[in-house]
Structure formats: C-alpha cells, structure tokens
Amino acid sequence: MRAVSISLLAVALAGAAAAQPPDFAKVEIQVEKVAGNVYVLTGAGGNIGLSIGPGGVVLVDDQFAPLVPRIRQAIRKLTDAPIRFVLNTHWHFDHTGGNAPFAAEATVIAHENVRRRLLLGEPKEVAGNRLEPAPPEALPVITFDQSLTVHLNGEDVRALHYAHGHTDGDSVIFFTRSNVVHMGDDFVTYGFPFVDAASGGSVLGLVENLDAVLAALPEDVKVIPGHGPVSTKADLRKFSEMLRACVARVDAARRAGKSLAQMQRENVLAEYDALGKGFIKTPEWIAQIHGELESGGASVP
Ligand SMILES: [Zn+2]
C-alpha cells in the first residue's frame, strides 16, 4: 500500500461519517450500466468508469489495491476480454490505488502531473493523510500533456487535461460514442468539493474548467462524478453554478470590506449550508475561496 494513512480522506470521500479506515473486506463492488458500452463500478474510493468490448476493457480509475481482485471479478461478469488500459483522472490514492496490481495486465495512462506526483509522493499530505512515493509498478507508463485518445471497440475514449481544478493533473474522460463523461473529482456530489490546493488545485480554475466542459458536452450526456451517483448535464451545471455563486458571494463580501472572520461568522454562504456539513465544512470553504481571491486570483465573471 502506497498510502500509509488512507483513513480520513478515504472515509470522507466514501461518504461515511466516522473517521475509521475503510474495511476493505466488507466493500462490495457494485456494477451499473451507464449507456452504450460504458459501466460504472462503485466500492470504496472514486467511481470507476468501464468501457467494454471484444477489443478489451478500458478502466477509468481503480480505487484501492485490496479491492482489485473484486473489481476484476465484477468486470469478468461483464466480459472475458482483457483489461488493456487504465486511465487515471488524477493522482489521489482513492483513484490510483489499484494501479500497481492492474499494471500486471494493463497499460496505465495519465496526465504527466499524475505520474510526477505519484513518483515523488508530492505533496506529502493530502487532506491530513501522509503519503509516500508510489512504487514503480504503480506509475503511469504513458503520459500526456494535453489530451490522449484510446481507440477501442469503435469507441473513442478521450482524456482531456484541464489545468488547476481539483488538482493540477486532472483529466476529464469522454466516451464519445456511448455519450458518457467521467469527470474525476472535478465533479462530486458530496457537497462543497475538496479542492487540493497543495496538489495545484484551484476553485477559480475549477469554475473555468467546468465552463469549458459544459460547453463541450451534449445535453443528453450521462455524467459519472468522481464520487456519487450517475448524474445529468443539468446536475453538472447546477454544481458549476453553485461554485460560481460561492465565489461571487465571497468576492462581494471582500469588496464590501469584510474580513474572512466576519464572512465566516456571518456565514455569507448560508444558502448553501446543507453542502457544508460533510467532508468540506462551510468555514473552510469560505476560507479557501477567500485565500484565492486575496492572492490575486481573478474573480469569476
Ligand atoms: Zn481526488
């Protein structure tokens, strides 16, 4: 296991309340058809996207190493075709933990910043979890700078890099024929999103990225979030509008001369309070946006 202490983030991202390590022995992998030849697998950690066909299987993210035998089993119920490619949406351990075991049979592909962060174990800590450099076999074998497409089973599985959103190595994965998109953690349904500034993430950048993704997506696309149930383009738009509104509220308060402490005390994001009771609490969300605006991040139009 690469992550020495996977408990807090993993549990938070899995949506559980208690800060206990996930009991992998109890995790069941659920399979759901999304559209066309695309499926989503849930267990613990990030949602796994799956494109299947006679030419082989493409996986998007791979959760945790101890779950890989069960993930394989779940895939084998759908197809006997070989697992040929694994794409990582970003470097976090609840999305890349299965890289090492899957590397025995598949080629792991990711944005170059994913490989760099896994290689260095940098930053050393993500949301309170101490991390170590990944073992060599867990590293992506093929990296890309802007975009990369896997052409398989008549489907173009297209990874497109968006800079500085959830991290600085995010890719959104488009299954063009099946009309499905895997958003990685640029879209989550657990409330205010975790934006990993130490890994080059940015709230303002995320808002911009979502604008670009939304402009590119067909209205009837099925959306796989990094965490949470399969969603629609309308859900994604709502999430993006919420982020934009949060930035606008904090920006307006700042321009009105309010300090961060005042904003937190008055709760300038009161209308979104329900979203700030989970992993990311409202005061820290306000502080993160405030910090970005103070450090010269352009306000969002
Ligand atoms: Zn993440």
Side-chain angles (χ1 to χ4, degrees):
M1 285 295 296
R2 173 173 56 84
V4 242
S5 161
I6 52 171
S7 57
L8 287 174
L9 183 62
V11 167
L13 293 183
Q20 294 295 319
D23 184 353
F24 289 120
K26 288 189 179 147
V27 174
E28 274 178 52
I29 304 296
Q30 308 284 343
V31 181
E32 181 189 340
K33 179 160 182 170
V34 183
N37 62 347
V38 176
Y39 294 77
V40 63
L41 271 58
T42 50
N47 286 330
I48 297 176
L50 192 64
S51 166
I52 66 169
V57 173
V58 183
L59 275 183
V60 177
D61 289 347
D62 51 26
Q63 298 192 351
F64 296 99
L67 299 177
V68 166
R70 262 165 283 164
I71 295 168
R72 266 200 204 103
Q73 247 174 25
I75 296 170
R76 286 294 155 251
K77 286 183 188 157
L78 299 172
T79 175
D80 289 328
I83 301 167
R84 291 183 61 191
F85 300 99
V86 174
L87 294 167
N88 294 145
T89 59
H90 63 294
W91 84 290
H92 284 155
F93 53 78
D94 54 328
H95 296 255
T96 59
N99 278 9
F102 275 122
E105 59 199 303
T107 302
V108 179
I109 304 172
H111 184 262
E112 54 194 33
N113 288 344
V114 173
R115 187 176 196 282
R116 185 173 57 82
R117 291 197 179 282
L118 287 171
L119 176 71
L120 302 173
E122 189 59 53
K124 302 277 172 246
E125 197 175 306
V126 171
N129 297 270
R130 295 283 306 163
L131 302 177
E132 297 284 325
E137 60 271 23
L139 298 174
V141 170
I142 295 177
T143 60
F144 59 92
D145 179 14
Q146 289 303 322
S147 68
L148 177 144
T149 306
V150 176
H151 305 270
L152 203 64
N153 304 319
E155 178 95 81
D156 285 354
V157 183
R158 185 161 175 72
L160 211 53
H161 171 58
Y162 290 88
H164 306 292
H166 175 62
T167 69
D168 62 6
D170 302 347
S171 292
V172 170
I173 316 292
F174 300 84
F175 302 91
T176 50
R177 193 186 65 180
S178 296
N179 199 18
V180 176
V181 64
H182 190 312
M183 293 296 300
D185 283 356
D186 281 5
F187 174 44
V188 294
T189 65
Y190 56 70
F192 293 139
F194 170 53
V195 174
D196 184 1
S199 296
S202 152
V203 179
L204 299 177
L206 181 57
V207 171
E208 269 179 44
N209 294 350
L210 290 173
D211 280 349
V213 173
L214 280 164
L217 288 176
E219 282 305 313
D220 57 350
V221 69
K222 294 273 198 317
V223 182
I224 303 175
H227 300 264
V230 174
S231 302
T232 64
K233 185 175 179 184
D235 298 324
L236 182 60
R237 192 180 285 118
K238 202 174 153 205
F239 176 75
S240 141
E241 283 166 0
M242 177 274 290
L243 297 185
R244 184 184 300 278
C246 288
V247 173
R249 298 283 184 286
V250 174
D251 197 26
R254 194 172 137 267
R255 286 166 194 276
K258 289 186 182 171
S259 69
L260 170 60
Q262 245 176 316
M263 293 180 205
Q264 289 168 324
R265 203 165 49 240
E266 294 171 11
N267 194 2
V268 293
L269 298 183
E271 70 184 284
Y272 297 109
D273 227 20
L275 302 175
K277 305 208 182 292
F279 181 23
I280 304 298
K281 311 288 184 217
T282 306
E284 63 180 293
W285 178 237
I286 293 174
Q288 182 164 22
I289 296 170
H290 180 264
E292 276 193 37
L293 292 171
E294 282 292 303
S295 67
S299 55
V300 172

